Amino acid sequence: MKNVLVVGGGIGGITAALEIASCGVDVTMLEEGPSIGGRMIQLDKTFPTLDCSTCTLSPKMVEVALQKKINLLSWAKPVAIRKNGKGFTVTILKKSRYVDINKCNACGSCSPGCPVVMKSEFNMGTGPRKAIYIPFPQAIPNKASIDKRTDRPCKAACVDACPIHTNVLGYLKHISEGRFEDAYMLIRETNPFPSSCGRVCYAPCEGVCNRGQLDSPLAIRDLKRSAVDRFDLDTLEPPQVQKTERKVAIIGAGPAGLSCAHDLAMEGHDVTVFETLPEPGGMLRYAIPEYRLPKAELDKEIGYIRRMGVKIECGIEIGKNMDAATLKNDYEAIFVGTGAPQGIRLGVEGEDLSGIMDGLKFLRTVNKGESLERESLSSHSEREGVAQPALLVEGATRAPLIGNKVAVIGGGNTAVDCARTAKRLGSEEVTLIYRRTRQEMPAADEEVEALIHEGVKIEFLATPVRFNGSNGKVSTAECIRMELGEPDASGRRRPIEIKGSEFSVPVDTVITALGQATETDFLNPLGVKLRKNGTVEVDPFTCTTSVEGIFAGGDVTTGPAYVVDAIAAGKKAACFIIKFLKGEALVAESIDAKPEKLSEDEVKALSIWVAKADRIPMPEEEINQRVTNFREVALGYSAGEAMTEARRCLAGQIEGCIQCGECERRCEVRAVDYNMKDEIIDLDVDSIVLAPGFDLYDPTEKREYGYGTLEGVITGIEFERICSVTGPTGGDILLKGETPKRFFFIQCVGSRDRLSGARYCSRVCCMYTAKHASIVKDRIRDAEIYISYIDVRAYGKNYEEFYKSTQENGILYMRGIPGEVVQGKNGLLVRVEDMLSGEMREVEVDLVILATGVRPRKGTEELCNIMSIERDEYGFIKANSVAPSKTNVDGIFVCGMGSGPKDVPDTVASGGEAASRCMEYINQ
Amino acid sequence: MLEQMSTRVLACMQCGKCTGSCPESGKTPFNIRMLVRKKQFAAAIAEELPWYCTSCGACTLRCPRDVKPSEVIIELRSALVEDGLMPLALQKALENTAVQKNPWGKSRGKRGVWADKLDIEIPHVSDTESKRLLFTCCIQAYDPRCMVIPSNVARILNKGGLEFGILGEEEGCCGNEIRRIGEAGLNEELQEENKAIMEEYGVKEIIALSPHCMNAFKKEYGDLGIKVTHYTEIVADMIREGTLTVQAPFEKKVIYHDPCFLGKQNGIFEAPREILRAIDGLTLMEFARSRETSLCCEGGGGRMFFEVETTYERNAEVRVNEAVEKGAEVIATACPFCVMTLEDPATEKGITVKELSEILVEVI
């Protein structure tokens, strides 16, 4: 069986391939890019008939796809060749597409999620494309490709460390390029509480960030906040989903319950959340102080969940004003996410004295604003685009809540929150008493830092042993010094009392923040199995409890943990509740990957090309300003700061795909494979047809025309894309969003030009410019159009007529090539001598279109070197003068622009000629 | 006759790119394409026309057929010079240059006077170790407005710790303008004399103060084996390397005018801007026509030495008007001819023209 190799998938190559295949010969067609179609598919119309180029070409492209004799290899090119008898053995490099061509069904769901925005080659850079893309709707093969150029330089440990696997590198990429809204939407894909997490997340991602091994980790949480600050959630419409009428009850409106509700509502389920406290939000609302998380922000996030159709009923306590059994009967599934709302007692003498209170209760009281007034305050900062907290506990007296000398017992975040809150309420002396040292404090480092800055005193290695009082009111806390012994179960060194080291601290208020416990008695009637410590026993992979249909997650199953853990648990439970309602088996699918570190060698290699840059500190409210009120301390990055900080992300250092996994997550047929490898294949062929096509001259070096420096100076092929329905504007001719009215076309840019090394005429520019002018005239009736020329080359049938009719249409042809284009007051000034009148003119226009000349396609030289093909002085393939498809090598033929400028009809003809010469050769 | 042509007039395809590029097109009777066309046919050319050319070089730089229209002009002028058909002032300038080695006919003996008045001692180049020559240029050696420039630059280079010397009265006109006026013979004489003296003293490097001199030494003296730079390049290096530090601010809006011989003809666009950007408080502004499309001040090609007959809005006026409209307070440039042409309309409009060194001495 004969086999012919066609290199190049433009109109020339397509014609040759189809002609050869129609003779019953097998054809292997190589296309260097993602799709065949070549330059012609980029054209809006073809001259002189003004037929739609896509309409003419795409049937032929489809024919290639359907023709069984043609084997099309995209992303493929020859890299070596050996003579093999009369034929050749060709070594072909098949670049990896990173998408399984047999699975991809061109559904297009991948691209919108991709955070890597690149210039579309198809649109000549006039519009964007994503790193995963299908170049245009009519592409053949119609399959996505990933523009992956290098492996990601980091391990994306952030994503693995995050309990909800937030696409950190994806949203950082968006932010680094100023796309805050896209970043926000990407965060929302996995997180219904971006604003809360952007403020109070403990950010396990930052701890493992691989950049931290070079200089300092990315400020991932603060960057999340920067995206939140620039998006108003109130303007986001919830997606329309098909309702299922399946009822699910959720107990507890904390982050776990609400996240579960959010994901269930996304599936269309009918969700009701029951909450004991007067407002939803759980610890987010009642434990975290206003200065860390303004409640207005939380209200927006919960508001969105409500707008999704989730019913939230507050003031309902299961077992008290609602029966647990009824709940079980009325709902198909139940999620328990009641958290760990109980404080733990210290268990020392005098703990019941007045003035001693539980930390959680204290925070709840302050957050509820009970016995405190809330006043709104106008924005106190001018930082751009940053929403400022409007709530302030102003003028509120700390009495009767707390006194002047406050001791806070504990070392966790709650203890720190209590101490900072007490300071804000005006207590003069606030002391934190912690039994270990700073190193062992479970509270976040930056929180402890802030605490110290705000003037709270810390007594490390001390614990109260007794509280003394007078008149039933606490007056001193008697403490004892501690030292650290052997590590205990938590891995921290156990504090041991030092005998005889007692000392006393005068106090009028004591706030204890020693830990939290669950309240799960209400589950007893349902028979849900509890652990000894009161937490609910669950399968950690599926969130199922001992009772079918009842799921649980968050602090109620784990004891006190972090917000994002609760969100993760709620989401996981939702996922399995959805399966449960469908009647599917509840088995965990995958085990989460562990965050990886960079090896020392990798760090060394990276530090060579990644410039050191430390993270940008989050701007904060002045210390003396902040301790008097509850305004948010962290002020948020400016857009510039956020972009600069986000640009530090190691994943963002590379061109192309950053392997963030978003497309993989979205692809329903699992076609994405980042680890696909390039292939090298050997192929025996009897003959070869080269159709490498052409490029267009880059006029940047002609500085006098201002291409690349003046807005409104573009090339003909760019103009073609702007005119095209498949182009970036959908076919509207627009400049900065407005319709330009005055056009100036300059001919012979980079043709007939010694300076740019092309003394030849490019043959197509006169006609394509006439075509462009006609398109403009057709779409913008009142357009003023000039074409400057040296002499118009419109040969043969229909061409001269087309040129003349263009002129008659009112397009002004001006003999004389402009010397320069400069910025004028109301547009671009084209300085040109109208030679036929001998007058020098300065024409003011909106758009200048350079009719750039034809150049051999990039890669033609390499191709010719491999195949020992001779080229002419310009680099085009040297063709035989009487058999114009013959090259200097027997059996290798050329067609189309590869051997020099040709228009579409000539290229088609040359494709046919090459096919017939090729047939002649293989049948000899 | 055709063989003798250094230019390639027959290659011209009459595309008009030269006229579209020419700073004299439209506003004066000068049409460079037409002159090339007439030259193709050896047709008669009105004798006043060739003298309009400012030798800015735009036509030659952009000609797609490498016709070198500005060289065609020099050929036309040569023929006129031979026949004595030239403006009187130009004739005078040539005579002066032949005698005193400067077009103004100032005494050659006084060429180094500017250095005598300086607070620093500048050695003769032969007494330097580096054999680095600061080439003054005629206009800056004699003209009262421009004499400050060599003094300034000498101070600046001195402050930056650079060793250099001068030729004093032994320096002669570089010939750049003389060649463009069409006096090839005199140009050759000047070149020979300068070459001989530089050879005698073993000059290894020339720092030119005027872009016109720099152009001649770089491109028209043949291979001298001498490194030729414009002083702005040296100063920009000094600032970048930290040997020269800007100490005082210059709180002005400064618009920079690219001289043709520094910018479009020799590609030095960045060095002067780098210097200006290094100055605190200085706001650097740009003309709409800058860099490669900078509008010629009409001081070159002999136009410095005579006035054309027609009246029209001079390019210097166009420049000054734009600077004023944009709210600039100072027009900065790096060429003595530009300073001279811009200053008249600038004074009228109440805006200052400063050669770069004049700003620099204020801030270092």
Side-chain angles (χ1 to χ4, degrees):
Chain A
M1 199 64 220
K2 301 281 188 189
N3 191 0
V4 171
L5 182 73
V6 175
V7 182
I11 179 61
I14 288 173
T15 307
L18 288 174
E19 295 294 344
I20 295 166
S22 72
C23 299
V25 173
D26 282 331
V27 175
T28 303
M29 187 173 197
L30 303 187
E31 165 56 49
E32 214 181 336
S35 168
I36 59 169
R39 292 289 177 197
M40 187 178 167
I41 201 70
Q42 291 183 291
L43 305 182
D44 179 36
K45 297 208 162 12
T46 53
F47 60 77
T49 49
L50 293 186
D51 287 328
C52 164
S53 189
T54 306
C55 308
T56 317
L57 183 56
S58 56
K60 288 208 156 224
M61 290 164 64
V62 171
E63 213 182 319
V64 169
L66 297 178
Q67 170 58 271
K68 292 206 167 57
K69 287 274 167 202
I70 299 177
N71 176 27
L72 170 61
L73 302 178
S74 53
W75 288 119
K77 64 173 186 179
V79 287
I81 189 170
R82 289 186 305 281
K83 190 90 181 120
N84 180 1
K86 246 188 86 195
F88 309 88
T89 301
V90 186
T91 307
I92 294 161
L93 170 68
K94 254 190 90 201
K95 267 185 58 193
S96 179
R97 200 179 188 103
Y98 304 102
V99 171
D100 188 333
I101 203 159
N102 297 316
K103 288 182 184 165
C104 175
N105 55 15
C107 73
S109 57
C110 50
S111 299
C114 176
V116 180
V117 180
M118 308 179 77
K119 282 189 169 173
S120 156
E121 292 84 359
F122 176 67
N123 282 330
M124 299 305 292
T126 58
R129 68 156 168 85
K130 294 299 185 67
I132 185 163
Y133 68 110
I134 297 174
F136 50 94
Q138 301 79 10
I140 300 285
N142 200 354
K143 308 284 175 185
S145 295
I146 297 180
D147 188 347
K148 180 188 159 192
R149 304 184 184 183
T150 38
D151 285 325
R152 179 179 359 92
C154 75
K155 310 276 186 192
C158 46
V159 180
D160 294 329
C162 177
I164 53 173
H165 306 301
T166 302
N167 188 344
V168 175
L169 52 170
Y171 83 74
L172 259 48
K173 179 82 184 169
H174 276 311
I175 292 173
S176 71
E177 289 165 6
R179 296 183 298 271
F180 291 95
E181 186 173 335
D182 292 331
Y184 182 85
M185 292 313 292
L186 189 56
I187 296 166
R188 266 210 92 80
E189 287 277 325
T190 52
N191 187 349
F193 290 100
S195 184
S196 303
C197 285
R199 291 175 155 86
V200 302
C201 186
Y202 76 112
C205 47
E206 295 182 21
V208 298
C209 172
N210 295 129
R211 174 103 202 191
Q213 294 178 257
L214 266 80
D215 35 46
S216 50
L218 267 290
I220 300 172
R221 183 193 46 222
D222 293 344
L223 286 170
K224 178 173 291 149
R225 155 109 189 251
S226 80
V228 172
D229 284 345
R230 286 164 186 81
F231 185 83
D232 183 6
L233 181 55
D234 288 344
T235 63
L236 183 67
E237 280 302 315
Q240 296 292 319
V241 288
Q242 183 81 38
K243 299 281 179 236
T244 62
E245 312 289 333
R246 314 280 303 258
K247 288 174 77 181
V248 182
I250 288 173
I251 309 172
L258 291 175
S259 300
C260 186
H262 173 276
D263 284 15
L264 290 170
M266 274 293 196
E267 282 291 306
H269 296 316
D270 182 0
V271 187
T272 311
V273 184
F274 299 99
E275 168 62 45
T276 311
L277 289 166
E279 280 182 83
M283 291 292 176
L284 287 174
R285 180 178 304 280
Y286 291 113
I288 297 173
E290 178 79 13
Y291 63 85
R292 284 178 63 204
L293 172 59
K295 298 306 167 282
E297 288 292 320
L298 180 65
D299 289 340
K300 281 189 182 185
E301 298 192 320
I302 298 175
Y304 180 78
I305 294 172
R306 280 197 158 118
R307 281 191 283 135
M308 288 173 78
V310 171
K311 288 162 278 194
I312 304 178
E313 294 187 17
C314 291
I316 306 277
E317 197 174 344
I318 310 298
K320 262 195 190 154
N321 44 12
M322 179 170 259
D323 188 28
T326 343
L327 208 59
K328 182 84 176 78
N329 289 335
D330 291 355
Y331 294 88
E332 291 184 61
I334 296 173
F335 173 75
V336 180
T338 49
Q342 280 288 48
I344 290 176
R345 286 172 64 85
L346 197 54
V348 299
E349 203 180 308
E351 204 176 344
D352 293 320
L353 282 167
S354 151
I356 301 181
M357 65 185 88
D358 169 55
L360 280 177
K361 276 194 194 134
F362 166 65
L363 291 174
R364 204 174 294 157
T365 313
V366 177
N367 275 322
K368 274 189 198 164
E370 280 173 12
S371 75
L372 300 164
E373 291 167 37
R374 273 184 178 176
E375 270 178 30
S376 70
L377 189 86
S378 61
S379 170
H380 67 308
S381 165
E382 300 291 305
R383 297 178 66 83
E384 39 135 357
V386 180
Q388 289 299 333
L391 288 176
L392 170 78
V393 188
E394 178 93 9
T397 53
R398 60 184 183 275
L401 200 58
I402 55 169
N404 230 343
K405 290 177 182 164
V406 178
V408 178
I409 322 292
N413 277 323
T414 307
V416 174
D417 286 344
C418 289
R420 293 179 73 187
T421 299
K423 196 80 196 165
R424 280 168 173 73
L425 290 176
S427 299
E428 277 164 21
E429 252 175 64
V430 181
T431 311
L432 191 91
I433 300 170
Y434 178 52
R435 56 193 183 139
R436 292 183 169 103
T437 69
R438 167 97 191 250
Q439 231 178 336
E440 288 82 23
M441 276 181 91
D445 229 27
E446 62 215 7
E447 292 294 313
V448 181
E449 199 75 25
L451 174 85
I452 295 167
H453 282 154
E454 289 171 11
V456 172
K457 195 178 144 201
I458 310 183
E459 285 283 359
F460 287 113
L461 290 167
T463 194
V465 288
R466 186 183 318 115
F467 296 108
N468 302 321
S470 55
N471 304 330
K473 206 173 166 342
V474 69
S475 61
T476 55
E478 213 163 295
C479 300
I480 188 163
R481 290 277 172 216
M482 316 287 273
E483 61 185 352
L484 294 181
E486 292 303 304
D488 65 6
S490 73
R492 297 176 298 174
R493 290 172 67 192
R494 183 192 303 276
I496 304 164
E497 292 181 3
I498 303 173
K499 288 235 163 76
S501 66
E502 286 86 351
F503 64 104
S504 74
V505 181
V507 292
D508 48 26
T509 305
V510 174
I511 301 169
T512 58
L514 302 155
Q516 293 160 237
T518 56
E519 249 178 7
T520 45
D521 293 347
F522 72 95
L523 288 171
N524 289 334
L526 293 172
V528 173
K529 205 164 161 194
L530 304 178
R531 296 194 193 92
K532 268 192 197 142
N533 63 0
T535 57
V536 178
E537 193 176 300
V538 288
D539 175 337
F541 296 106
T542 61
C543 297
T544 47
T545 65
S546 59
V547 179
E548 198 185 68
I550 300 183
F551 298 76
D555 287 1
V556 74
T557 67
T558 58
Y562 299 97
V563 174
V564 70
D565 296 312
I567 296 172
K571 289 178 71 73
K572 192 190 288 171
C575 168
F576 284 97
I577 291 170
I578 291 161
K579 282 178 195 266
F580 171 74
L581 292 177
K582 281 185 190 157
E584 288 175 13
L586 305 187
V587 237
E589 277 179 6
S590 60
I591 292 167
D592 294 342
K594 288 256 178 309
E596 272 180 76
K597 269 182 162 318
L598 294 168
S599 71
E600 266 178 42
D601 286 347
E602 284 169 322
V603 173
K604 225 179 262 171
L606 274 172
S607 53
I608 292 169
W609 62 276
V610 178
K612 267 208 175 353
D614 273 317
R615 79 168 178 182
I616 298 178
M618 175 61 120
E620 289 185 344
E621 176 103 42
E622 293 286 332
I623 300 212
N624 54 1
Q625 288 285 314
R626 62 165 106 128
V627 288
T628 59
N629 60 62
F630 280 79
R631 279 198 304 248
E632 191 170 17
V633 170
L635 299 175
Y637 283 138
S638 68
E641 285 167 337
M643 287 164 71
T644 310
E645 174 60 18
R647 274 197 286 269
R648 294 175 59 240
C649 176
L650 288 176
Q653 308 300 311
I654 54 168
E655 282 277 299
C657 169
I658 57 171
Q659 300 120 63
C660 71
E662 192 61 23
C663 52
E664 202 177 15
R665 196 176 69 78
R666 286 165 167 252
C667 180
E668 284 181 8
V669 293
R670 293 171 188 259
V672 173
D673 178 4
Y674 295 126
N675 298 317
M676 216 176 252
K677 296 274 178 283
D678 291 354
E679 278 176 74
I680 302 261
I681 45 176
D682 272 353
L683 186 72
D684 290 334
V685 296
D686 298 284
S687 174
I688 298 172
V689 176
L690 302 178
F694 68 105
D695 281 329
L696 285 141
Y697 171 65
D698 175 358
T700 311
E701 64 178 5
K702 298 226 174 283
R703 311 292 297 183
E704 66 271 24
Y705 288 154
Y707 177 76
T709 54
L710 293 177
E711 194 164 15
V713 180
I714 61 171
T715 67
I717 186 89
E718 287 166 356
F719 185 69
E720 196 87 51
R721 292 314 307 146
I722 291 169
C723 292
S724 173
V725 237
T726 54
T729 55
D732 291 330
I733 302 170
L734 295 174
L735 175 69
K736 286 183 273 180
E738 278 177 43
T739 305
K741 295 280 179 200
R742 302 167 298 173
F743 296 76
F744 202 109
F745 292 88
I746 302 177
Q747 298 267 27
C748 294
V749 179
S751 300
R752 310 169 74 188
D753 177 23
R754 275 173 173 270
L755 286 178
S756 64
R759 286 180 295 125
Y760 55 85
C761 163
S762 291
R763 278 185 66 175
V764 289
C765 329
C766 283
M767 292 308 295
Y768 79 58
T769 298
K771 175 188 76 179
H772 289 164
S774 301
I775 293 171
V776 174
K777 201 72 194 167
D778 184 47
R779 300 201 191 151
I780 307 166
R781 299 308 302 182
D782 57 343
E784 182 185 325
I785 307 165
Y786 300 88
I787 298 178
S788 75
Y789 68 100
I790 305 173
D791 35 43
V792 172
R793 297 178 173 186
Y795 303 113
K797 219 169 51 166
N798 297 333
Y799 284 35
E800 176 70 12
E801 296 97 303
F802 182 70
Y803 159 47
K804 280 298 155 202
S805 75
T806 308
Q807 277 187 313
E808 284 160 16
N809 243 325
I811 287 145
L812 293 166
Y813 273 76
M814 195 187 287
R815 190 181 187 311
I817 292 296
E820 52 203 7
V821 179
V822 292
Q823 189 63 54
K825 284 191 182 122
N826 298 305
L828 298 165
L829 277 186
V830 183
R831 296 191 70 232
V832 57
E833 181 194 2
D834 171 19
M835 284 165 51
L836 298 184
S837 69
E839 278 170 26
M840 180 70 193
R841 294 188 199 281
E842 284 192 352
V843 188
E844 195 173 59
V845 295
D846 304 314
L847 205 57
V848 172
I849 298 112
L850 308 177
T852 50
V854 164
R855 292 288 183 277
R857 175 86 176 182
K858 187 169 161 264
T860 304
E861 183 180 1
E862 191 194 340
L863 183 70
C864 290
N865 288 345
I866 293 165
M867 303 203 172
S868 309
I869 304 276
E870 285 176 12
R871 293 180 306 140
D872 65 21
E873 59 172 310
Y874 304 115
F876 290 109
I877 293 173
K878 214 174 198 174
N880 185 310
S881 56
V882 288
S885 67
K886 278 191 174 176
T887 67
N888 59 306
V889 178
D890 253 6
I892 301 183
F893 303 93
V894 61
C895 68
M897 288 259 206
S899 60
K902 285 175 195 65
D903 60 17
V904 171
D906 286 359
T907 298
V908 171
S910 80
E913 207 250 357
S916 72
R917 295 275 173 201
C918 177
M919 289 306 298
E920 178 189 44
Y921 178 79
I922 62 177
N923 288 323
Q924 257 168 22
Chain B
M1 180 201 159
L2 288 181
E3 297 90 80
Q4 288 164 3
M5 270 196 244
S6 67
T7 55
R8 304 176 65 254
V9 287
L10 293 179
C12 174
M13 61 176 163
Q14 291 284 299
C15 70
K17 185 140 186 179
C18 49
T19 10
S21 302
C22 178
E24 302 302 286
S25 295
K27 45 174 54 177
T28 74
F30 184 70
N31 180 324
I32 185 148
R33 175 196 55 82
M34 193 74 92
L35 296 184
V36 173
R37 181 70 179 152
K38 289 194 170 166
K39 186 107 199 276
Q40 284 181 326
F41 285 89
I45 290 167
E47 65 184 61
E48 73 278 6
L49 285 180
W51 302 107
Y52 281 97
C53 173
T54 66
S55 71
C56 75
C59 51
T60 293
L61 286 165
R62 296 174 191 168
C63 173
R65 287 290 176 96
D66 200 21
V67 173
K68 298 191 171 63
S70 57
E71 294 294 314
V72 175
I73 296 301
I74 297 176
E75 282 171 29
L76 291 173
R77 287 178 174 184
S78 293
L80 294 169
V81 169
E82 218 152 280
D83 296 343
L85 297 171
M86 62 191 305
L88 202 61
L90 279 181
Q91 206 169 332
K92 194 84 189 126
L94 291 179
E95 283 164 13
N96 287 338
T97 311
V99 180
Q100 297 289 356
K101 309 297 172 201
N102 72 77
W104 285 273
K106 297 279 165 92
S107 157
R108 186 166 193 189
K110 291 189 174 165
R111 197 166 175 115
V113 163
W114 64 270
D116 301 340
K117 296 175 187 160
L118 212 57
D119 48 358
I120 52 166
E121 190 87 16
I122 308 178
H124 189 274
V125 70
S126 60
D127 295 332
T128 63
E129 205 173 300
S130 58
K131 306 292 179 211
R132 192 179 286 124
L133 169 64
L134 187 69
F135 194 88
T136 320
C137 165
C138 306
I139 191 166
Q140 298 180 135
Y142 298 110
D143 185 273
R145 169 65 185 89
C146 293
M147 264 170 102
V148 296
I149 301 170
S151 309
N152 289 342
V153 174
R155 281 201 198 99
I156 294 162
L157 297 182
N158 190 59
K159 186 122 189 185
L162 192 80
E163 193 210 28
F164 60 93
I166 51 172
L167 280 169
E169 59 181 53
E170 290 167 281
E171 181 183 294
C173 175
C174 68
N176 194 66
E177 299 309 287
I178 305 303
R179 183 176 98 75
R180 282 161 181 75
I181 293 171
E183 202 2 331
L186 178 55
N187 176 46
E188 217 166 287
E189 245 175 66
L190 294 168
Q191 288 197 356
E192 289 313 316
E193 191 177 321
N194 278 326
K195 269 192 235 178
I197 198 116
M198 288 181 197
E199 205 168 306
E200 186 186 337
Y201 296 129
V203 171
K204 285 186 186 147
E205 193 181 330
I206 299 172
I207 300 175
L209 287 174
S210 164
H212 292 250
C213 308
M214 177 192 71
N215 182 71
F217 291 130
K218 247 188 187 172
K219 294 177 165 171
E220 291 170 3
Y221 268 61
D223 185 14
L224 289 172
I226 296 176
K227 185 183 162 201
V228 182
T229 51
H230 186 249
Y231 86 87
T232 54
E233 296 176 275
I234 304 282
V235 173
D237 283 347
M238 285 177 160
I239 291 176
R240 206 178 310 122
E241 284 156 17
T243 49
L244 185 71
T245 49
V246 178
Q247 282 160 351
F250 190 82
E251 308 271 358
K252 290 252 160 69
K253 289 185 191 157
V254 177
I255 195 160
Y256 177 69
H257 164 84
D258 286 285
C260 297
F261 277 84
L262 190 65
K264 58 171 83 81
Q265 292 200 39
N266 284 289
I268 300 171
F269 300 110
E270 273 314 310
R273 287 179 169 80
E274 230 178 274
I275 295 170
L276 290 171
R277 275 195 290 260
I279 302 171
D280 268 350
L282 186 151
T283 313
L284 178 60
M285 302 174 74
E286 293 283 354
F287 285 103
R289 299 188 58 175
S290 67
R291 295 176 183 262
E292 287 88 348
T293 54
S294 176
L295 182 63
C296 174
C297 77
E298 304 177 292
R303 291 282 297 267
M304 203 65 229
F305 316 116
F306 85 107
E307 284 296 323
V308 292
E309 275 168 26
T310 41
T311 46
Y312 61 93
E313 189 192 25
R314 295 298 163 93
N315 288 343
E317 287 174 64
V318 176
R319 276 316 229 194
V320 167
N321 286 340
E322 187 185 337
V324 171
E325 261 170 53
K326 288 200 159 147
E329 294 159 283
V330 175
I331 302 177
T333 188
C335 167
F337 289 176
C338 297
V339 170
M340 296 298 281
T341 50
L342 289 167
E343 198 144 72
D344 271 354
T347 315
E348 213 170 282
K349 290 267 151 66
I351 182 170
T352 320
V353 176
K354 278 185 187 282
E355 207 277 341
L356 255 178
S357 68
E358 297 178 80
I359 297 179
L360 263 177
V361 282
E362 286 185 35
V363 297
I364 57 166

